[in-house]
PDB file of all heavy atoms in Angstrom:
ATOM      1  N   VAL A1451      -8.784   7.199 -16.896  1.00 96.00           N
ATOM      2  CA  VAL A1451      -9.490   7.836 -18.009  1.00 96.00           C
ATOM      3  C   VAL A1451     -10.991   7.858 -17.698  1.00 96.00           C
ATOM      4  O   VAL A1451     -11.662   8.883 -17.844  1.00 96.00           O
ATOM      5  CB  VAL A1451      -9.189   7.106 -19.338  1.00 96.00           C
ATOM      6  CG1 VAL A1451     -10.135   7.572 -20.427  1.00 96.00           C
ATOM      7  CG2 VAL A1451      -7.751   7.356 -19.755  1.00 96.00           C
ATOM      8  N   THR A1452     -11.501   6.735 -17.212  1.00 96.00           N
ATOM      9  CA  THR A1452     -12.910   6.669 -16.849  1.00 96.00           C
ATOM     10  C   THR A1452     -13.250   7.689 -15.766  1.00 96.00           C
ATOM     11  O   THR A1452     -14.219   8.441 -15.882  1.00 96.00           O
ATOM     12  CB  THR A1452     -13.245   5.251 -16.346  1.00 96.00           C
ATOM     13  OG1 THR A1452     -12.827   4.324 -17.324  1.00 96.00           O
ATOM     14  CG2 THR A1452     -14.727   5.100 -16.081  1.00 96.00           C
ATOM     15  N   PHE A1455     -13.044  11.343 -17.155  1.00 94.00           N
ATOM     16  CA  PHE A1455     -14.187  11.681 -17.999  1.00 94.00           C
ATOM     17  C   PHE A1455     -15.452  11.853 -17.159  1.00 94.00           C
ATOM     18  O   PHE A1455     -16.209  12.814 -17.334  1.00 94.00           O
ATOM     19  CB  PHE A1455     -14.407  10.607 -19.078  1.00 94.00           C
ATOM     20  CG  PHE A1455     -13.667  10.892 -20.352  1.00 94.00           C
ATOM     21  CD1 PHE A1455     -12.366  10.474 -20.540  1.00 94.00           C
ATOM     22  CD2 PHE A1455     -14.281  11.623 -21.360  1.00 94.00           C
ATOM     23  CE1 PHE A1455     -11.665  10.751 -21.695  1.00 94.00           C
ATOM     24  CE2 PHE A1455     -13.592  11.911 -22.527  1.00 94.00           C
ATOM     25  CZ  PHE A1455     -12.281  11.466 -22.699  1.00 94.00           C
ATOM     26  N   ALA A1456     -15.681  10.926 -16.237  1.00 93.00           N
ATOM     27  CA  ALA A1456     -16.910  10.986 -15.445  1.00 93.00           C
ATOM     28  C   ALA A1456     -16.934  12.219 -14.555  1.00 93.00           C
ATOM     29  O   ALA A1456     -17.960  12.898 -14.438  1.00 93.00           O
ATOM     30  CB  ALA A1456     -17.050   9.719 -14.613  1.00 93.00           C
ATOM     31  N   ALA A1459     -17.630  15.217 -16.625  1.00 89.00           N
ATOM     32  CA  ALA A1459     -19.025  15.251 -17.059  1.00 89.00           C
ATOM     33  C   ALA A1459     -19.897  15.791 -15.936  1.00 89.00           C
ATOM     34  O   ALA A1459     -20.869  16.513 -16.160  1.00 89.00           O
ATOM     35  CB  ALA A1459     -19.481  13.852 -17.465  1.00 89.00           C
ATOM     36  N   ALA A1460     -19.529  15.464 -14.692  1.00 82.00           N
ATOM     37  CA  ALA A1460     -20.334  15.911 -13.553  1.00 82.00           C
ATOM     38  C   ALA A1460     -20.190  17.410 -13.324  1.00 82.00           C
ATOM     39  O   ALA A1460     -21.170  18.093 -13.028  1.00 82.00           O
ATOM     40  CB  ALA A1460     -19.931  15.134 -12.300  1.00 82.00           C
ATOM     41  N   MET A1473     -14.496  17.427 -23.909  1.00 86.00           N
ATOM     42  CA  MET A1473     -15.417  17.512 -22.777  1.00 86.00           C
ATOM     43  C   MET A1473     -15.497  16.162 -22.069  1.00 86.00           C
ATOM     44  O   MET A1473     -15.189  15.126 -22.651  1.00 86.00           O
ATOM     45  CB  MET A1473     -16.824  17.916 -23.242  1.00 86.00           C
ATOM     46  CG  MET A1473     -16.901  19.275 -23.891  1.00 86.00           C
ATOM     47  SD  MET A1473     -16.389  20.624 -22.786  1.00 86.00           S
ATOM     48  CE  MET A1473     -17.769  20.642 -21.624  1.00 86.00           C
ATOM     49  N   GLY A1474     -15.939  16.184 -20.796  1.00 86.00           N
ATOM     50  CA  GLY A1474     -16.167  14.942 -20.073  1.00 86.00           C
ATOM     51  C   GLY A1474     -17.324  14.170 -20.678  1.00 86.00           C
ATOM     52  O   GLY A1474     -18.030  14.664 -21.558  1.00 86.00           O
ATOM     53  N   SER A1475     -17.491  12.946 -20.194  1.00 89.00           N
ATOM     54  CA  SER A1475     -18.581  12.137 -20.715  1.00 89.00           C
ATOM     55  C   SER A1475     -18.938  11.092 -19.671  1.00 89.00           C
ATOM     56  O   SER A1475     -18.097  10.684 -18.878  1.00 89.00           O
ATOM     57  CB  SER A1475     -18.139  11.427 -21.999  1.00 89.00           C
ATOM     58  OG  SER A1475     -19.024  10.371 -22.302  1.00 89.00           O
ATOM     59  N   ASN A1476     -20.207  10.688 -19.661  1.00 88.00           N
ATOM     60  CA  ASN A1476     -20.520   9.544 -18.817  1.00 88.00           C
ATOM     61  C   ASN A1476     -21.141   8.416 -19.623  1.00 88.00           C
ATOM     62  O   ASN A1476     -21.882   7.601 -19.111  1.00 88.00           O
ATOM     63  CB  ASN A1476     -21.402   9.945 -17.628  1.00 88.00           C
ATOM     64  CG  ASN A1476     -22.564  10.791 -18.059  1.00 88.00           C
ATOM     65  OD1 ASN A1476     -22.956  10.739 -19.224  1.00 88.00           O
ATOM     66  ND2 ASN A1476     -23.132  11.543 -17.146  1.00 88.00           N
ATOM     67  N   GLU A1477     -20.785   8.373 -20.892  1.00 91.00           N
ATOM     68  CA  GLU A1477     -21.212   7.272 -21.751  1.00 91.00           C
ATOM     69  C   GLU A1477     -20.087   6.244 -21.831  1.00 91.00           C
ATOM     70  O   GLU A1477     -19.010   6.536 -22.336  1.00 91.00           O
ATOM     71  CB  GLU A1477     -21.511   7.796 -23.166  1.00 91.00           C
ATOM     72  CG  GLU A1477     -22.819   8.555 -23.287  1.00 91.00           C
ATOM     73  CD  GLU A1477     -24.016   7.644 -23.042  1.00 91.00           C
ATOM     74  OE1 GLU A1477     -23.897   6.412 -23.259  1.00 91.00           O
ATOM     75  OE2 GLU A1477     -25.067   8.158 -22.624  1.00 91.00           O
ATOM     76  N   MET A1478     -20.356   5.046 -21.350  1.00 93.00           N
ATOM     77  CA  MET A1478     -19.310   4.019 -21.397  1.00 93.00           C
ATOM     78  C   MET A1478     -18.790   3.803 -22.812  1.00 93.00           C
ATOM     79  O   MET A1478     -17.588   3.636 -23.022  1.00 93.00           O
ATOM     80  CB  MET A1478     -19.866   2.697 -20.874  1.00 93.00           C
ATOM     81  CG  MET A1478     -20.090   2.694 -19.381  1.00 93.00           C
ATOM     82  SD  MET A1478     -20.607   1.077 -18.822  1.00 93.00           S
ATOM     83  CE  MET A1478     -20.939   1.418 -17.100  1.00 93.00           C
ATOM     84  N   LEU A1479     -19.696   3.834 -23.770  1.00 94.00           N
ATOM     85  CA  LEU A1479     -19.287   3.552 -25.143  1.00 94.00           C
ATOM     86  C   LEU A1479     -18.311   4.608 -25.667  1.00 94.00           C
ATOM     87  O   LEU A1479     -17.514   4.336 -26.560  1.00 94.00           O
ATOM     88  CB  LEU A1479     -20.505   3.459 -26.054  1.00 94.00           C
ATOM     89  CG  LEU A1479     -21.358   2.202 -25.846  1.00 94.00           C
ATOM     90  CD1 LEU A1479     -22.581   2.222 -26.740  1.00 94.00           C
ATOM     91  CD2 LEU A1479     -20.530   0.954 -26.100  1.00 94.00           C
ATOM     92  N   GLY A1480     -18.406   5.831 -25.124  1.00 93.00           N
ATOM     93  CA  GLY A1480     -17.462   6.860 -25.518  1.00 93.00           C
ATOM     94  C   GLY A1480     -16.160   6.768 -24.730  1.00 93.00           C
ATOM     95  O   GLY A1480     -15.085   7.093 -25.234  1.00 93.00           O
ATOM     96  N   ILE A1481     -16.267   6.322 -23.462  1.00 95.00           N
ATOM     97  CA  ILE A1481     -15.099   6.304 -22.586  1.00 95.00           C
ATOM     98  C   ILE A1481     -14.154   5.162 -22.930  1.00 95.00           C
ATOM     99  O   ILE A1481     -12.931   5.341 -22.948  1.00 95.00           O
ATOM    100  CB  ILE A1481     -15.552   6.207 -21.108  1.00 95.00           C
ATOM    101  CG1 ILE A1481     -16.269   7.497 -20.700  1.00 95.00           C
ATOM    102  CG2 ILE A1481     -14.375   5.943 -20.198  1.00 95.00           C
ATOM    103  CD1 ILE A1481     -16.898   7.439 -19.340  1.00 95.00           C
ATOM    104  N   TRP A1482     -14.725   3.990 -23.214  1.00 96.00           N
ATOM    105  CA  TRP A1482     -13.866   2.817 -23.439  1.00 96.00           C
ATOM    106  C   TRP A1482     -12.816   3.030 -24.526  1.00 96.00           C
ATOM    107  O   TRP A1482     -11.640   2.736 -24.306  1.00 96.00           O
ATOM    108  CB  TRP A1482     -14.727   1.582 -23.749  1.00 96.00           C
ATOM    109  CG  TRP A1482     -15.568   1.143 -22.586  1.00 96.00           C
ATOM    110  CD1 TRP A1482     -15.364   1.440 -21.265  1.00 96.00           C
ATOM    111  CD2 TRP A1482     -16.746   0.333 -22.642  1.00 96.00           C
ATOM    112  NE1 TRP A1482     -16.347   0.866 -20.497  1.00 96.00           N
ATOM    113  CE2 TRP A1482     -17.214   0.178 -21.314  1.00 96.00           C
ATOM    114  CE3 TRP A1482     -17.460  -0.280 -23.675  1.00 96.00           C
ATOM    115  CZ2 TRP A1482     -18.346  -0.558 -21.010  1.00 96.00           C
ATOM    116  CZ3 TRP A1482     -18.588  -1.024 -23.362  1.00 96.00           C
ATOM    117  CH2 TRP A1482     -19.025  -1.162 -22.042  1.00 96.00           C
ATOM    118  N   PRO A1483     -13.224   3.539 -25.713  1.00 96.00           N
ATOM    119  CA  PRO A1483     -12.181   3.741 -26.739  1.00 96.00           C
ATOM    120  C   PRO A1483     -11.088   4.696 -26.269  1.00 96.00           C
ATOM    121  O   PRO A1483      -9.904   4.489 -26.567  1.00 96.00           O
ATOM    122  CB  PRO A1483     -12.944   4.354 -27.913  1.00 96.00           C
ATOM    123  CG  PRO A1483     -14.357   3.986 -27.694  1.00 96.00           C
ATOM    124  CD  PRO A1483     -14.547   3.885 -26.221  1.00 96.00           C
ATOM    125  N   MET A1484     -11.489   5.726 -25.504  1.00 96.00           N
ATOM    126  CA  MET A1484     -10.502   6.681 -24.981  1.00 96.00           C
ATOM    127  C   MET A1484      -9.529   5.982 -24.029  1.00 96.00           C
ATOM    128  O   MET A1484      -8.314   6.199 -24.085  1.00 96.00           O
ATOM    129  CB  MET A1484     -11.212   7.810 -24.218  1.00 96.00           C
ATOM    130  CG  MET A1484     -11.991   8.737 -25.103  1.00 96.00           C
ATOM    131  SD  MET A1484     -10.858   9.604 -26.195  1.00 96.00           S
ATOM    132  CE  MET A1484     -12.004  10.366 -27.303  1.00 96.00           C
ATOM    133  N   ALA A1485     -10.090   5.163 -23.151  1.00 97.00           N
ATOM    134  CA  ALA A1485      -9.256   4.442 -22.183  1.00 97.00           C
ATOM    135  C   ALA A1485      -8.264   3.550 -22.925  1.00 97.00           C
ATOM    136  O   ALA A1485      -7.064   3.508 -22.594  1.00 97.00           O
ATOM    137  CB  ALA A1485     -10.131   3.602 -21.258  1.00 97.00           C
ATOM    138  N   VAL A1539     -21.679   8.109  -9.350  1.00 82.00           N
ATOM    139  CA  VAL A1539     -22.614   7.232 -10.089  1.00 82.00           C
ATOM    140  C   VAL A1539     -21.893   6.549 -11.238  1.00 82.00           C
ATOM    141  O   VAL A1539     -21.000   7.118 -11.865  1.00 82.00           O
ATOM    142  CB  VAL A1539     -23.815   8.008 -10.668  1.00 82.00           C
ATOM    143  CG1 VAL A1539     -24.917   8.109  -9.652  1.00 82.00           C
ATOM    144  CG2 VAL A1539     -23.410   9.353 -11.183  1.00 82.00           C
ATOM    145  N   ARG A1540     -22.337   5.322 -11.504  1.00 89.00           N
ATOM    146  CA  ARG A1540     -21.758   4.592 -12.615  1.00 89.00           C
ATOM    147  C   ARG A1540     -22.090   5.296 -13.929  1.00 89.00           C
ATOM    148  O   ARG A1540     -23.157   5.888 -14.067  1.00 89.00           O
ATOM    149  CB  ARG A1540     -22.347   3.176 -12.657  1.00 89.00           C
ATOM    150  CG  ARG A1540     -21.306   2.153 -12.321  1.00 89.00           C
ATOM    151  CD  ARG A1540     -21.874   0.773 -12.204  1.00 89.00           C
ATOM    152  NE  ARG A1540     -21.287   0.151 -11.020  1.00 89.00           N
ATOM    153  CZ  ARG A1540     -21.784  -0.887 -10.385  1.00 89.00           C
ATOM    154  NH1 ARG A1540     -22.896  -1.437 -10.797  1.00 89.00           N
ATOM    155  NH2 ARG A1540     -21.179  -1.364  -9.331  1.00 89.00           N
ATOM    156  N   ASN A1541     -21.183   5.206 -14.888  1.00 91.00           N
ATOM    157  CA  ASN A1541     -21.457   5.754 -16.208  1.00 91.00           C
ATOM    158  C   ASN A1541     -22.560   4.936 -16.868  1.00 91.00           C
ATOM    159  O   ASN A1541     -22.904   3.848 -16.419  1.00 91.00           O
ATOM    160  CB  ASN A1541     -20.182   5.723 -17.042  1.00 91.00           C
ATOM    161  CG  ASN A1541     -19.145   6.656 -16.462  1.00 91.00           C
ATOM    162  OD1 ASN A1541     -19.389   7.853 -16.315  1.00 91.00           O
ATOM    163  ND2 ASN A1541     -17.985   6.117 -16.086  1.00 91.00           N
ATOM    164  N   SER A1542     -23.130   5.486 -17.954  1.00 92.00           N
ATOM    165  CA  SER A1542     -24.317   4.832 -18.502  1.00 92.00           C
ATOM    166  C   SER A1542     -24.010   4.082 -19.791  1.00 92.00           C
ATOM    167  O   SER A1542     -23.013   4.345 -20.481  1.00 92.00           O
ATOM    168  CB  SER A1542     -25.416   5.859 -18.731  1.00 92.00           C
ATOM    169  OG  SER A1542     -24.903   6.913 -19.504  1.00 92.00           O
ATOM    170  N   PHE A1543     -24.871   3.127 -20.074  1.00 93.00           N
ATOM    171  CA  PHE A1543     -24.753   2.287 -21.257  1.00 93.00           C
ATOM    172  C   PHE A1543     -26.132   2.256 -21.881  1.00 93.00           C
ATOM    173  O   PHE A1543     -27.117   2.020 -21.178  1.00 93.00           O
ATOM    174  CB  PHE A1543     -24.309   0.883 -20.856  1.00 93.00           C
ATOM    175  CG  PHE A1543     -23.975  -0.010 -22.013  1.00 93.00           C
ATOM    176  CD1 PHE A1543     -22.693  -0.058 -22.531  1.00 93.00           C
ATOM    177  CD2 PHE A1543     -24.959  -0.811 -22.587  1.00 93.00           C
ATOM    178  CE1 PHE A1543     -22.392  -0.884 -23.594  1.00 93.00           C
ATOM    179  CE2 PHE A1543     -24.655  -1.640 -23.653  1.00 93.00           C
ATOM    180  CZ  PHE A1543     -23.366  -1.678 -24.163  1.00 93.00           C
ATOM    181  N   PRO A1544     -26.237   2.509 -23.199  1.00 92.00           N
ATOM    182  CA  PRO A1544     -27.566   2.631 -23.812  1.00 92.00           C
ATOM    183  C   PRO A1544     -28.451   1.412 -23.546  1.00 92.00           C
ATOM    184  O   PRO A1544     -28.030   0.283 -23.759  1.00 92.00           O
ATOM    185  CB  PRO A1544     -27.258   2.735 -25.308  1.00 92.00           C
ATOM    186  CG  PRO A1544     -25.808   2.918 -25.443  1.00 92.00           C
ATOM    187  CD  PRO A1544     -25.147   2.673 -24.153  1.00 92.00           C
ATOM    188  N   GLY A1545     -29.619   1.649 -23.040  1.00 91.00           N
ATOM    189  CA  GLY A1545     -30.598   0.575 -22.878  1.00 91.00           C
ATOM    190  C   GLY A1545     -30.471  -0.236 -21.608  1.00 91.00           C
ATOM    191  O   GLY A1545     -31.290  -1.099 -21.338  1.00 91.00           O
ATOM    192  N   LEU A1546     -29.417   0.035 -20.801  1.00 91.00           N
ATOM    193  CA  LEU A1546     -29.257  -0.758 -19.577  1.00 91.00           C
ATOM    194  C   LEU A1546     -29.177   0.165 -18.362  1.00 91.00           C
ATOM    195  O   LEU A1546     -28.740   1.305 -18.457  1.00 91.00           O
ATOM    196  CB  LEU A1546     -27.979  -1.602 -19.648  1.00 91.00           C
ATOM    197  CG  LEU A1546     -27.965  -2.756 -20.644  1.00 91.00           C
ATOM    198  CD1 LEU A1546     -26.604  -3.436 -20.621  1.00 91.00           C
ATOM    199  CD2 LEU A1546     -29.063  -3.771 -20.316  1.00 91.00           C
ATOM    200  N   THR A1548     -27.038   0.551 -15.456  1.00 90.00           N
ATOM    201  CA  THR A1548     -25.741   0.012 -15.046  1.00 90.00           C
ATOM    202  C   THR A1548     -25.628  -0.160 -13.541  1.00 90.00           C
ATOM    203  O   THR A1548     -24.738  -0.848 -13.072  1.00 90.00           O
ATOM    204  CB  THR A1548     -24.598   0.923 -15.517  1.00 90.00           C
ATOM    205  OG1 THR A1548     -24.853   2.244 -15.048  1.00 90.00           O
ATOM    206  CG2 THR A1548     -24.495   0.931 -17.021  1.00 90.00           C
ATOM    207  N   ALA A1618     -11.095   0.287 -16.875  1.00 97.00           N
ATOM    208  CA  ALA A1618     -12.254   1.170 -17.022  1.00 97.00           C
ATOM    209  C   ALA A1618     -13.485   0.545 -16.358  1.00 97.00           C
ATOM    210  O   ALA A1618     -14.237   1.220 -15.652  1.00 97.00           O
ATOM    211  CB  ALA A1618     -12.517   1.435 -18.504  1.00 97.00           C
ATOM    212  N   ASP A1622     -15.702   1.721 -12.915  1.00 95.00           N
ATOM    213  CA  ASP A1622     -17.151   1.857 -12.833  1.00 95.00           C
ATOM    214  C   ASP A1622     -17.757   0.936 -11.779  1.00 95.00           C
ATOM    215  O   ASP A1622     -18.763   1.268 -11.164  1.00 95.00           O
ATOM    216  CB  ASP A1622     -17.788   1.585 -14.204  1.00 95.00           C
ATOM    217  CG  ASP A1622     -18.136   2.888 -14.917  1.00 95.00           C
ATOM    218  OD1 ASP A1622     -18.583   3.822 -14.221  1.00 95.00           O
ATOM    219  OD2 ASP A1622     -17.954   2.982 -16.137  1.00 95.00           O
TER     220      ASP A1622
END
Side-chain angles (χ1 to χ4, degrees):
Chain A
V1451 168
T1452 307
F1455 269 88
M1473 298 299 289
S1475 164
N1476 48 23
E1477 285 294 334
M1478 288 185 185
L1479 288 177
I1481 293 173
W1482 294 339
M1484 290 295 170
V1539 273
R1540 248 174 224 161
N1541 294 302
S1542 53
F1543 188 89
L1546 291 177
T1548 54
D1622 260 321

